[in-house]
Amino acid sequence: MSASAALYPFGVERTPAAQRAPTRGLYLGLVVTLIAVLAYAAYITLQFAGVRKLQSEMVDRNRRDSLQLLRIQNDFNSLGLAMRDMLDAGEPYPLAAWSAQFERIHNDLDAALEQEEKLSEAARTSDQRRYLSQSLAQFWDAADRMFALATSGNENAAREQIRDTLQPRLAALGSAVSRLLIQNNEGEELATARIAEIYDHVQRQLYFFLAAILLAIIATSLYLIRANRRIFAHVAELSAQRSELAQKLISAQESTLRHISRELHDEFGQVLTAIGSMLRRAGKQIPEESPLHADLREVQETAQATLENIRSLSQALHPVLLEEAGLESALDWYIPTVERQNGIALHYEKSGAPFPVETNAGVQVYRILQEALNNVSRHSGAKEAWIRLRFESDALELNVEDHGKGFQPVNGQTGIGLVAMRERAELLGASLSVSSLGGTEQAATGTRVHLRVPREKAEAHGE
Ligand SMILES: Nc1ncnc2c1ncn2[C@@H]1O[C@H](COP(=O)(O)OP(=O)(O)OP(=O)(O)O)[C@@H](O)[C@H]1O
Ligand SMILES: [Mg+2]
């Protein structure tokens, strides 16, 4: 009795918990990772759009605004120079002659101011704007008054006006514009700082994002590993259950065959033996020349033939010889029978010092040989096979070899003969190998079945 059969008694087999494929978890991991990547891509795009906006709207605008401010300052300088010349006593022209130049500068200033106002709309306060336009308006009023004085021939009063009003006003305007220029510069620095800040922020977010992605990947991998481990455990359990089922089937088959074989041998055998002896006795009471005597003799012979058939069928189903005389005798009887029935030449060799083989172990060895010989005659195409039974000091070995077409042991072969052979070997605690011969030997191909049963599993104790 094998230990593994005892481990799994009938009725306590567990149905393993329904296994879920890890696909859902893996999809989830993939979706989380993808969402994280997309979200980060969107975030980065937004941040960079912000940087671009800052750059084009603030920095570029600031720069163009500063250009207009410089143009205004340039106009102020021209005005300043003109007024200095007007005050110069050595100047040959009358003051009114400057009015055209003033007019031109006035127009240019208006144009520059108009553009500047558009560019600085957001940056400048309304107070600053009002101050600039009011101061300018006052300056032009004063200039108009000065030219009016000059045209009316009051040149000295006009010069006084320049000195006392126009020049200080122009100086104030100049410093206001300088302040605006400084302000623009500061704005630019601020924007640069802000851009640097955005880059810093993006960089920090990048670390967060990488950590999140890494976490998602680690979580998914851990989940995958766990799911794999569960699936492998499940497969191992299924395999153990399958093996257990096969071994139970083998035991059940063996006990059924043994039962039928005994019934055939004992019941039918005895009935037929009794019929035979009754017929013999009846025959003695009838004269030999009577036709009935011949008929009785024929029936007696038929009964005898049937009895022999039943005996051999009984042996074939379950060799009683195994139990009564041991494995060696059973093989001595079985091998010539197969030779006769299947028409293959079997070369049987025994070697080593025989030891008695336990009945259950003998049955398994016998069945393995039976299946191996069946396969030789059904699949190999060979007409010869070699059987070697070796009693070694520590094991019993059985070797069955044919030089037929051979086969590559591929998974998914049809039939359960090889599977049953393996299960029987496992029940025995033996090792079994089925290999294809081939290559350099003189027999190019063929199949070899090799069974090795450790002596302590094979040997009968206390018999
Ligand atoms: N001695 C052999 N020579 C050539 N091929 C073999 C030999 N033994 C087995 N095979 C190949 O291995 C396959 C599996 O053998 P197995 O005994 O498991 O199944 P089977 O004999 O086809 O069916 P079953 O034994 O269940 O009646 C066979 O179909 C055959 O192709
Ligand atoms: Mg087979």
Side-chain angles (χ1 to χ4, degrees):
M1 192 51 59
S2 127
S4 62
L7 268 178
Y8 300 100
F10 277 107
V12 296
E13 283 170 50
R14 280 185 305 111
T15 310
Q19 296 288 315
R20 265 189 301 116
T23 331
R24 253 175 57 191
L26 293 181
Y27 275 134
L28 191 71
L30 184 68
V31 166
V32 167
T33 314
L34 276 180
I35 287 177
V37 170
L38 287 179
Y40 187 71
Y43 167 78
I44 286 279
T45 313
L46 259 167
Q47 290 296 318
F48 282 131
V51 168
R52 199 170 307 126
K53 196 162 166 230
L54 257 178
Q55 227 153 11
S56 67
E57 288 193 359
M58 275 197 72
V59 180
D60 292 353
R61 198 183 259 241
N62 244 358
R63 205 159 288 149
R64 276 187 287 150
D65 185 47
S66 294
L67 280 178
Q68 292 308 322
L69 288 175
L70 285 173
R71 175 179 169 192
I72 292 169
Q73 234 172 16
N74 196 38
D75 285 342
F76 287 168
N77 281 344
S78 308
L79 280 176
L81 284 174
M83 285 193 288
R84 199 195 61 198
D85 290 347
M86 284 157 88
L87 291 180
D88 188 352
E91 200 57 42
Y93 306 110
L95 283 183
W98 294 92
S99 99
Q101 191 178 347
F102 266 59
E103 191 61 29
R104 193 176 44 75
I105 295 176
H106 190 169
N107 286 340
D108 189 65
L109 262 177
D110 280 352
L113 266 176
E114 198 186 332
Q115 282 190 32
E116 198 275 338
E117 224 161 80
K118 270 190 228 143
L119 290 169
S120 66
E121 230 167 335
R124 207 127 304 151
T125 62
S126 55
D127 278 353
Q128 282 175 318
R129 231 176 283 151
R130 209 174 313 123
Y131 172 77
L132 201 65
S133 54
Q134 274 176 6
S135 306
L136 259 174
Q138 282 167 0
F139 175 84
W140 292 123
D141 276 351
D144 286 348
R145 273 200 306 281
M146 180 272 289
F147 280 119
L149 284 173
T151 359
S152 62
N154 211 344
E155 291 249 331
N156 282 338
R159 283 211 171 83
E160 220 163 283
Q161 175 89 351
I162 291 175
R163 210 174 296 118
D164 297 344
T165 317
L166 285 180
Q167 276 185 333
R169 287 230 162 106
L170 190 65
L173 275 167
S175 60
V177 169
S178 294
R179 267 202 306 280
L180 290 182
L181 271 169
I182 290 169
Q183 211 175 39
N184 269 359
N185 212 34
E186 282 168 354
E188 210 165 304
E189 273 168 16
L190 221 69
T192 312
R194 175 99 186 80
I195 287 169
E197 198 182 303
I198 289 176
Y199 278 123
D200 277 354
H201 201 236
V202 166
Q203 197 180 21
R204 252 198 323 276
Q205 296 301 322
L206 178 69
Y207 293 141
F208 277 128
F209 164 76
L210 284 181
I213 286 279
L214 214 67
L215 266 179
I217 289 172
I218 289 173
T220 312
S221 309
L222 283 180
Y223 176 75
L224 188 64
I225 290 169
R226 239 190 82 217
N228 260 0
R229 214 186 296 139
R230 261 209 334 256
I231 288 170
F232 276 117
H234 182 50
V235 167
E237 198 175 341
L238 281 183
S239 158
Q241 283 177 350
R242 187 201 56 82
S243 172
E244 177 200 337
L245 181 67
Q247 295 183 1
K248 272 180 198 154
L249 278 176
I250 287 169
S251 313
Q253 183 196 28
E254 222 42 81
S255 75
T256 312
L257 286 178
R258 194 186 308 126
H259 180 72
I260 294 172
S261 156
R262 285 230 174 97
E263 286 292 299
L264 278 177
H265 184 271
D266 297 352
E267 292 294 320
F268 291 87
Q270 272 171 23
V271 169
L272 284 169
T273 313
I275 289 174
S277 58
M278 281 191 309
L279 286 170
R280 209 175 313 116
R281 258 186 280 127
K284 280 186 186 149
Q285 288 163 21
I286 295 166
E288 278 204 22
E289 56 283 2
S290 137
L292 187 59
H293 187 273
D295 285 350
L296 275 180
R297 209 173 165 74
E298 210 173 303
V299 177
Q300 194 197 332
E301 275 162 14
T302 312
Q304 185 59 35
T306 311
L307 178 63
E308 268 154 32
N309 275 345
I310 282 193
R311 286 219 168 113
S312 89
L313 181 60
S314 158
Q315 282 290 334
L317 289 179
H318 179 85
V320 183
L321 266 174
L322 263 174
E323 281 157 44
E324 290 167 357
L327 177 68
E328 276 184 86
S329 313
L331 295 189
D332 287 342
W333 162 81
Y334 175 66
I335 290 167
T337 313
V338 176
E339 254 185 327
R340 233 185 4 262
Q341 284 174 352
N342 295 0
I344 13 175
L346 296 177
H347 308 280
Y348 178 39
E349 252 174 51
K350 249 187 297 188
S351 58
F355 51 78
V357 176
E358 194 245 339
T359 310
N360 272 321
V363 171
Q364 307 302 356
V365 175
Y366 178 85
R367 294 293 184 211
I368 289 172
L369 174 67
Q370 216 172 19
E371 175 59 26
L373 291 179
N374 272 345
N375 280 350
V376 170
S377 76
R378 282 175 54 197
H379 307 300
S380 74
K383 288 281 158 231
E384 261 183 315
W386 286 260
I387 303 164
R388 288 182 201 98
L389 186 69
R390 233 188 335 261
F391 288 92
E392 302 207 326
S393 59
D394 60 343
L396 171 66
E397 285 194 357
L398 174 72
N399 208 64
V400 183
E401 198 175 307
D402 69 65
H403 294 167
K405 63 179 188 212
F407 82 110
Q408 291 302 320
V410 184
N411 285 339
Q413 293 270 5
T414 54
I416 57 157
L418 294 180
V419 177
M421 255 157 65
R422 290 225 156 78
E423 294 301 339
R424 284 182 188 278
E426 198 165 308
L427 264 173
L428 259 178
S431 65
L432 177 91
S433 72
V434 182
S435 46
S436 220
L437 305 174
T440 54
E441 291 172 43
Q442 70 272 41
T445 53
T447 305
R448 178 189 292 144
V449 175
H450 181 79
L451 175 76
R452 183 184 164 89
V453 195
R455 183 163 176 165
E456 66 271 17
K457 308 270 181 180
E459 194 171 14
H461 299 285
E463 271 184 357

